Amino acid sequence: MSSSKETSEHDENTECRLEPECLKEIILNGKLDCPVVFKRKIDQWPCRGWDLDDWAKKFSARNIRFRIGPTDRRDTEPLWESRCQFTEATVGQFIQWQNGSELVEAKVDDSLGDINQSPLSSTDRSTHWAYADYKHMTELFETNSDIFKCVDWSVFGFNGRDGKESTIWIGSRSAETPCHYDTYGCNLVAQLYGRKRWICFPPSNTKNLYPTRIPYEESSVFSLVNIRNPDLVKCDKFKSTTPYIVTLEPGDVLFVPHKWWHYVSSLTTTISINTWIELEADNDRRLEEAVTRTLLSAFTQTYPFSNEEWLNPTEEEIVPEENYAYVKESLDRCLAKKESNQTERKEKGIKENVFNEPEPKKKRSALWNLDFDNYGNEMKKIKPSSYLELMNSTEGNNKHHLDSEEDNDKECFQTKLINSIVDPDVISLMCNKFKEKFNSKAA
């Protein structure tokens, strides 16, 4: 039995607070190697207490693009954006559509959009969801810059980062984002309204998630697995994954480490705001993305792929000359960074390194010895779950599809061939060779 003294000491520890600069250091230096939920960090954000009608008034009568998808799908293919419908509506019209007959006309005035004239009025909300995802706040609130100050990432040590470096996500119940990982940076996601479920997988699960670059979107590597209704014939290794499942409540902030896979779905009407934190390795990742796009563009000109098949709707087709220019620009940045690092190492008396050798480990600060269990009221590490828990947590059909495959052999071969050539491991080796060949000293 614990003594009162021990209980008192534990209570005092759990009330410890991590200062913003400490949080910044552990985020940038890899101390957080799994998803973490932060509590009470955004309580002082002005937008933290806004309801849906407050948000509608901030957006005013501006139309934004909503992606429309079915709430109940029987097939096992991921719901790519190219398979969705799109429409434009105001946030006020979206709220009225989502509320159905329970309109909030007393609080949402006519200037926010007439529901009877909204394209959403023809969409059955009982069978479909709507999602305004990945909207840059600078594009939405260019005439209302004060709203940028309502988002303040300095609580994590990133001073000066606000709504100008953030994106907003507004979705109805069941709205979803296909499983993918981001090739650039790491991610901070603030849940402002409603509840959202995140299902994350560590980078070590990559092979079991069947990565694909078709459809192509810069900085996103998608999974061929439909997380809600997986095909266990085509994707049998998926059962060996280790999911990390968390439900975000209003006021929570989720940290998603670099290259962690994630599938996201709204459990209610939701509003989230996120920011991607740049990492030192992003220059290398941008070169890899430039090379990937160049190769994909060339192959899709040879094989009978339409833009809708190989490009995500967020992307525009780029002509070869622009692709090459992008590769050169990214390569120049990498070489300049390498030269800068070499100069710094010489000044510090460190032996010169080559591209394909790991950087020497930096001296770890005292933060690495922190016991994060002592900060339970402020932050919570997400613990791994099982495949069975994953299936029980999703709202899909969970039929564990086992029907025989009826793939088009030619199309399947082309897709596998292209994905093999633009596999991230292959691209990484290729880019290392580029940097060696184009290094000014080697030339």
Side-chain angles (χ1 to χ4, degrees), residues 56-172:
K57 292 176 181 177
K58 298 298 181 182
F59 277 92
S60 188
R62 184 187 185 101
N63 280 325
I64 58 176
R65 196 185 194 201
F66 284 89
R67 179 162 57 94
I68 309 296
T71 57
D72 184 23
R73 292 191 304 122
R74 297 297 174 181
D75 64 84
T76 58
E77 295 296 320
L79 185 61
W80 308 124
E81 292 187 28
S82 58
R83 299 176 62 190
C84 295
Q85 298 177 335
F86 292 86
T87 191
E88 291 193 353
T90 69
V91 173
Q93 290 170 335
F94 165 76
I95 294 172
Q96 291 179 319
W97 170 78
Q98 178 63 17
N99 287 333
S101 59
E102 301 175 4
L103 299 181
V104 285
E105 294 173 351
K107 299 181 69 176
V108 179
D109 58 52
D110 293 337
S111 66
L112 306 184
D114 183 356
I115 186 61
N116 296 318
Q117 297 179 2
S118 169
L120 284 171
S121 61
S122 61
T123 301
D124 187 344
R125 69 185 182 94
S126 67
T127 58
H128 289 78
W129 47 258
Y131 204 9
D133 51 354
Y134 195 37
K135 305 301 181 186
H136 291 277
M137 294 184 68
T138 50
E139 297 175 3
L140 297 176
F141 300 108
E142 54 189 11
T143 59
N144 187 12
S145 59
D146 288 343
I147 201 169
F148 299 145
K149 300 175 184 177
C150 296
V151 177
D152 182 10
W153 298 106
S154 67
V155 294
F156 291 92
F158 298 98
N159 297 329
R161 183 180 288 263
D162 56 22
K164 293 190 296 294
E165 294 81 25
S166 304
T167 56
I168 190 167
W169 311 66
I170 304 173
S172 63

